[in-house]
Amino acid sequence: MVDTTIGAAGVIQPAEVKDVELYHPKSWVTKYVFCQDAKVIAIQYAITALGIGLVALVLSWLIRLQLAFPSSFSAIGPTDYLQFITMHGMIMVIYLLTALFLGGFGNYLIPLMVGARDMVFPYVNMLSYWVYLLAVLVLVASFFMPGGPTGAGWTLYPPQAILSGTPGQDWGIILMLASLILFIIGFTMGGLNYVVTVLQARTRGMTMMRLPLTVWGIFMATVLALLAFPALFVGCVMMLFDRILGTSFFMPAIVEMGQHLKYGGGSPLLFQHLFWFFGHPEVYIVALPAFGIVSDLISTHARKNIFGYRMMVWAIIVIGALSFLVWAHHMYVSGMNPYFGFYFATTTLVIAIPTAIKVYNWVLTLWRGDIHLTVPMLFALSFIVTFVNGGLTGLFLGNPVVDVPLSDTMFVVAHFHMVMGMAPIFVIFGAIYHWYPKVTGRMMNEALGQFHFWVSFLGAYAIYFPMHYLGLLGVPRRYFEMGDMAFIPQSATTLNIFITMAALTVGFAQMVFLFNLIWSLFWGKPAGSNPWRATTLEWQTPETPPGHGNWGKELPVVYRWAYDYSVPGAKEDFVPQNQPPTPRAA
Amino acid sequence: MADAALVDPGIAPARPPGWRGIVTDWSSDQRAFKNVSWGKAMMWIFLLSDTFIFSCFLLSYMTVRMSTTVPWPNPSKVFALHIGGVEIPLILIAIMTFILISSSGTMAMAVNYGYRHDRVKSAVLMLVTAAFGATFVGMQGFEWTKLIMEGVRPWGNPWGADQFGSSFFMITGFHGTHVTIGVIFLIIISRKVLRGDFDREARGFFTSRKGHYEIVEIMGLYWHFVDLVWVFIFALFYLW
Ligand code: HEM
Ligand SMILES: [Cu+2]
């Protein structure tokens, strides 16, 4: 599919709308703080997300320390433990991964990759960040309120989430719900921008089927988010009312400490449905951008066109659509009609088909490629391995009969950390190493990067492989300590200590990464405008880092797809998307 | 900024009719929806997302209505008014519905006059729409007061399931907020229309983008949506 003739899709159309005139910041404040430029907003999003993510990382150390050395830390009580896992899970999933992929990479890459000057509504885009920041601050505030943050588990299941047995009943849960509501409002403002920019603001010659897969992944993830977050929004609003006003949307008649509460008649299952109608698409909200980015990393660093581009696009679309039909596979143990179990198991397993197509296509892209084992490439490869690994255990858990005994054990923890914890995080790292030169003009340090990669990758396996085994033994999830349950052998304790050591080592590697981020800003090798010799538009900007308005005077015109690597007969082993075809020798 | 790009329907290349035309548009460059400006596209997609919010609210209400073990109060009794000695069920709600639907009509006319740059007519019609909207919210306020006086609370009521009050206040409250926001924006925009901001393409205070009459139509999209949602609330909450 070497799309070099102009004839194929007709002549490049003239511009349908006039070029935009951008808002020009007049002061330092409007240039760097209340900035409307998507690139600055992206960096603001990324720094905030990494900052709050660091909190979640530290929490994971505390969780692990407690699990390895129960009753050695007087500072960590059962209450604290529940609060730690809750905040760790929620921050990682929502405030780190979602915000970084969509708010961070979405903002930076979409306008550049589709050849636009900025997002379509920069002002709304700016608000999006500030509302997100507010959501993060409200979340952080819950650590300092009397009673501390909520310990309801990141799934926030009622009735327990708002009863006095759960830590953070005073303020924690209220601030958690408020923060989520704010996050959703903020995200919606940004998300509308991303979708409209991709649909309506592409440059001349940029058809949907010439978009880099990164844009496809982020675009589809944003669509999912715009349709899935409403369910969470409604769930949060109703739970907030249950907690503050004493309504009973989710609360059945209930006895607490021997006392009849005033609740009655609500449906706890309703919340689970709302939560997972959001929760499952959420998995793909972080997975689809990862899919897209990995495709581009692999193609660039293996100097080969992506295998089966059209199939890749359709797989993204089909996965996105199917992800709305499977939510109740998280509720096999909540009690439901067996026929529903059958339906949800079937749809869950069907998703494996488009997903497998993607994995095969990545492997076929690598096949006989000119593979450069750069740090971004290593992370991309580790994503494939880790994702397949987590996907396979997902097939186990998708079957009700297998899921019921494994549910709420460490097996589940291992599964989702593989598939939506480690795998997308690896892509985030890979993407940061890949695009850092464009954002800052300097390369990140390669040696430190290699160190970061190997420790994180091997470490992730050292952490989560044993957890599968613990889960099969029946070690439950969200337990402060095991006590002496007869079915848990002594060796499990040893294993737990091993896992914790691995987790702390991986944690240390992240510090090296942060150091590298800052060090390279000042002392990294100057990168030039296109260090990876990549084809996509963001590498063809007149300035590096790209200036205000991205493209100087003239918008780029696109003549080909994003994957013209190693084209036979071409001068270089890559042909940028905006390079006009050479007229055929007559 | 973006002035032109924002509203300019632009040149739409000729395309085959029907489905093949849609496929042609989607496989073309630059824009998937030809002749649709950025602002309109954004409003449509927002409304799609908002549809999901309202659907979740309504589905949740139906779920709790089924999950509760206590009988549901009879809406046509609860929402009846004593007028001249007779009890007329749902009379207030019927009037509210009528008002809101009429406001859609005035809104549509405002859009039409806006595009003809008929400043005064457009602005007046928008203000009429806003007045209808405000009346609707006022009557909703009356309804709330009446129910509250009769002892309905979000957490309970004299006639049956607690969830009746919870759902009522939550759903009508959320819808009423939408109407109120709409009224506020109608007033702001009609003021701009009247001042001739859109003839001068004056820049917005916050966004510093040039204004266009198209904003009237975008406002209209939102307004019609809010009306449409009310029809569903009416059918599912009051008539069921
Ligand atoms: C170094 C990295 C990490 C370590 C060592 C770690 C460790 C843990 C542990 C030990 C638990 C649960 C313990 C229990 O159930 O008792 C947990 C829970 C969880 N983690 Fe992580 N984690 C890491 C990174 C991540 C990432 C990147 C994500 C993003 C998806 C994530 C998402 C979650 C979620 C959603 C939970 C469940 C919380 C709950 O049960 O409510 N974690 N983590
Ligand atoms: Cu799922």
Side-chain angles (χ1 to χ4, degrees):
Chain A
M1 204 186 123
V2 186
D3 188 8
T4 42
T5 47
I6 302 192
V11 207
I12 301 277
Q13 298 290 340
E16 289 172 20
V17 291
K18 287 193 213 114
D19 198 356
V20 298
E21 169 206 333
L22 286 177
Y23 169 76
H24 296 291
K26 289 171 201 75
S27 66
W28 188 85
V29 174
T30 45
K31 197 158 176 196
Y32 295 107
V33 184
F34 293 102
C35 180
Q36 303 193 12
D37 188 327
K39 295 187 292 297
V40 177
I41 297 173
I43 293 166
Q44 292 173 326
Y45 252 113
I47 291 176
T48 315
L50 288 175
I52 189 75
L54 209 57
V55 175
L57 179 68
V58 172
L59 290 175
S60 81
W61 300 341
L62 299 177
I63 301 171
R64 279 314 317 174
L65 281 173
Q66 166 61 27
L67 286 178
F69 310 105
S71 61
S72 317
F73 299 97
S74 52
I76 308 178
T79 312
D80 304 305
Y81 184 81
L82 290 176
Q83 294 173 324
F84 293 168
I85 60 160
T86 305
M87 298 312 273
H88 161 79
M90 193 65 99
I91 293 176
M92 285 288 189
V93 174
I94 308 268
Y95 299 85
L96 172 67
L97 290 181
T98 309
L100 193 49
F101 267 128
L102 303 181
F105 289 108
N107 265 317
Y108 205 89
L109 295 176
I110 290 175
L112 281 166
M113 283 187 155
V114 305
R117 294 214 181 268
D118 204 324
M119 288 290 178
V120 284
F121 290 100
Y123 180 77
V124 183
N125 204 25
M126 174 186 83
L127 284 186
S128 159
Y129 169 72
W130 291 101
V131 178
Y132 164 66
L133 183 65
L134 187 63
V136 170
L137 292 178
V138 171
L139 185 81
V140 170
S142 75
F143 281 96
F144 301 101
M145 295 309 265
T150 178
W154 88 283
T155 46
L156 304 177
Y157 277 9
Q160 56 93 16
I162 56 175
L163 293 183
S164 59
T166 302
Q169 193 234 12
D170 303 332
W171 282 102
I173 186 71
I174 295 180
L175 292 181
M176 179 84 253
L177 296 170
S179 170
L180 284 172
I181 290 173
L182 285 171
F183 181 92
I184 295 169
I185 295 173
F187 170 77
T188 305
M189 299 191 212
L192 292 171
N193 257 307
Y194 316 154
V195 170
V196 178
T197 306
V198 172
L199 287 178
Q200 299 294 89
R202 283 167 282 135
T203 189
R204 291 170 60 202
M206 184 58 96
T207 61
M208 294 293 273
M209 279 298 175
R210 280 178 184 170
L211 289 173
L213 285 166
T214 299
V215 176
W216 265 109
I218 296 175
F219 169 70
M220 201 60 204
T222 312
V223 173
L224 294 193
L226 287 174
L227 303 181
F229 274 126
L232 182 66
F233 179 88
V234 169
C236 287
V237 169
M238 298 205 306
M239 206 198 299
L240 209 53
F241 287 164
D242 279 5
R243 168 68 187 76
I244 299 179
L245 296 178
T247 58
S248 304
F249 288 112
F250 300 135
M251 304 298 280
I254 212 162
V255 177
E256 186 184 57
M257 318 283 263
Q259 273 195 327
H260 256 288
L261 297 185
K262 50 190 184 358
Y263 295 118
S267 165
L269 266 187
L270 170 61
F271 181 83
Q272 299 188 14
H273 282 294
L274 289 171
F275 184 85
W276 289 113
F277 185 80
F278 144 77
H280 189 83
E282 169 64 29
V283 175
Y284 289 96
I285 292 169
V286 302
L288 291 182
F291 288 174
I293 291 173
V294 154
S295 310
D296 284 356
L297 295 192
I298 287 184
S299 177
T300 308
H301 295 270
R303 317 308 297 164
K304 252 190 78 184
N305 62 301
I306 192 83
F307 186 91
Y309 174 81
R310 275 164 194 278
M311 245 195 284
M312 293 301 246
V313 170
W314 282 109
I316 287 179
I317 296 173
V318 170
I319 292 173
L322 284 176
S323 73
F324 281 102
L325 306 177
V326 302
W327 75 91
H329 63 208
H330 296 275
M331 299 164 59
Y332 289 144
V333 293
S334 306
M336 71 176 125
N337 186 316
Y339 287 112
F340 284 161
F342 175 75
Y343 162 80
F344 283 108
T346 313
T347 48
T348 303
L349 300 187
V350 166
I351 293 201
I353 298 171
T355 315
I357 290 181
K358 297 198 75 76
V359 175
Y360 285 125
N361 283 353
W362 288 321
V363 175
L364 286 168
T365 305
L366 290 168
W367 176 255
R368 306 182 71 181
D370 171 13
I371 297 176
H372 297 250
L373 288 179
T374 54
V375 180
M377 183 62 156
L378 288 171
F379 273 112
L381 296 176
S382 72
F383 165 82
I384 301 179
V385 180
T386 319
F387 185 75
V388 168
N389 204 308
L392 289 177
T393 49
L395 292 180
F396 288 46
L397 297 172
N399 288 287
V401 271
V402 189
D403 178 69
V404 168
L406 288 177
S407 191
D408 271 321
T409 66
M410 278 296 172
F411 189 89
V412 175
V413 176
H415 154 72
F416 70 68
H417 275 94
M418 278 289 179
V419 79
M420 82 166 305
M422 294 305 117
I425 280 281
F426 286 158
V427 177
I428 285 193
F429 289 140
I432 290 179
Y433 284 99
H434 184 77
W435 277 293
Y436 190 87
K438 181 51 58 174
V439 179
T440 64
R442 287 176 188 274
M443 307 294 285
M444 285 182 75
N445 184 295
E446 172 85 10
L448 291 179
Q450 292 270 350
F451 173 80
H452 174 219
F453 168 75
W454 286 107
V455 177
S456 304
F457 177 57
L458 299 177
Y461 272 81
I463 298 171
Y464 296 108
F465 241 58
M467 269 194 211
H468 289 92
Y469 172 69
L470 290 178
L472 291 173
L473 286 179
V475 175
R477 146 190 196 198
R478 292 178 178 168
Y479 267 41
F480 171 60
E481 57 187 353
M482 295 311 132
D484 23 46
M485 293 186 204
F487 62 87
I488 301 176
Q490 188 56 40
S491 59
T493 314
T494 326
L495 207 51
N496 259 330
I497 295 178
F498 171 77
I499 297 177
T500 298
M501 291 308 159
L504 293 178
T505 316
V506 170
F508 168 71
Q510 309 320 308
M511 300 304 120
V512 174
F513 167 70
L514 290 182
F515 171 76
N516 194 354
L517 270 186
I518 296 166
W519 185 86
S520 306
L521 196 57
F522 302 102
W523 296 284
K525 236 178 29 212
S529 69
N530 190 358
W532 310 113
R533 302 157 53 75
T535 55
T536 38
L537 286 182
E538 81 275 21
W539 301 103
Q540 325 302 335
T541 51
E543 296 163 78
T544 301
H548 187 59
N550 293 347
W551 306 108
K553 278 218 174 58
E554 290 276 330
L555 285 175
V557 178
V558 169
Y559 296 96
R560 59 191 75 236
W561 71 337
Y563 300 98
D564 269 345
Y565 290 104
S566 309
V567 180
K571 259 198 258 99
E572 303 254 15
D573 74 341
F574 71 104
V575 189
Q577 280 192 279
N578 59 346
Q579 179 170 315
T582 36
R584 282 179 202 202
Chain B
M1 62 173 115
D3 340 313
L6 279 174
V7 284
D8 189 357
I11 329 145
R15 66 170 198 193
W19 283 105
R20 292 195 35 224
I22 294 175
V23 174
T24 314
D25 284 354
W26 277 77
S27 36
S28 74
D29 63 349
Q30 304 181 47
R31 295 185 296 172
F33 301 103
K34 304 293 174 190
N35 292 338
V36 176
S37 69
W38 293 350
K40 251 196 267 182
M42 188 134 153
M43 182 50 91
W44 275 112
I45 295 167
F46 167 71
L47 294 180
L48 183 65
S49 188
D50 214 16
T51 306
F52 271 59
I53 293 196
F54 276 108
S55 310
C56 287
F57 271 128
L58 286 170
L59 283 168
S60 301
Y61 140 72
M62 290 186 245
T63 311
V64 292
R65 186 164 172 169
M66 288 189 289
S67 76
T68 182
T69 47
V70 185
W72 199 257
N74 180 356
S76 42
K77 285 232 185 68
V78 176
F79 299 109
L81 285 187
H82 274 288
I83 300 175
V86 270
E87 202 176 65
I88 313 177
L90 289 178
I91 176 69
L92 184 66
I93 316 299
I95 299 174
M96 283 164 66
T97 309
F98 180 75
I99 288 181
L100 206 58
I101 293 186
S102 314
S103 79
S104 258
T106 51
M107 185 72 231
M109 286 158 73
V111 174
N112 192 326
Y113 282 114
Y115 276 131
R116 295 191 209 167
H117 293 216
D118 192 332
R119 291 209 320 260
V120 178
K121 284 208 182 98
S122 178
V124 168
L125 280 163
M126 279 168 89
L127 287 175
V128 172
T129 312
F132 276 143
T135 318
F136 175 88
V137 176
M139 293 170 95
Q140 191 68 270
F142 172 80
E143 186 72 62
W144 276 43
T145 325
K146 173 170 168 283
L147 289 196
I148 291 171
M149 308 260 267
E150 286 168 356
V152 183
R153 297 287 181 277
W155 53 88
N157 64 70
W159 310 299
D162 296 347
Q163 282 76 13
F164 174 80
S166 337
S167 310
F168 171 77
F169 288 120
M170 182 177 71
I171 294 180
T172 58
F174 199 70
H175 178 263
T177 313
H178 273 72
V179 180
T180 311
I181 293 174
V183 169
I184 294 171
F185 275 92
L186 277 170
I187 295 173
I188 295 176
I189 295 173
S190 63
R191 175 158 168 268
K192 291 192 173 200
V193 169
L194 209 55
R195 270 198 322 214
D197 281 18
F198 302 139
D199 295 319
R200 283 184 287 115
E201 305 198 332
R203 289 183 185 274
F205 178 73
F206 287 111
T207 61
S208 67
R209 279 195 164 171
K210 289 182 190 162
H212 290 275
Y213 276 105
E214 188 194 37
I215 194 71
V216 182
E217 186 184 358
I218 295 176
M219 181 67 229
L221 290 177
Y222 175 83
W223 193 258
H224 296 313
F225 168 79
V226 173
D227 286 1
L228 183 66
V229 167
W230 176 255
V231 174
F232 281 91
I233 296 174
F234 181 66
L236 295 171
F237 195 88
Y238 294 92
L239 293 186
W240 180 8

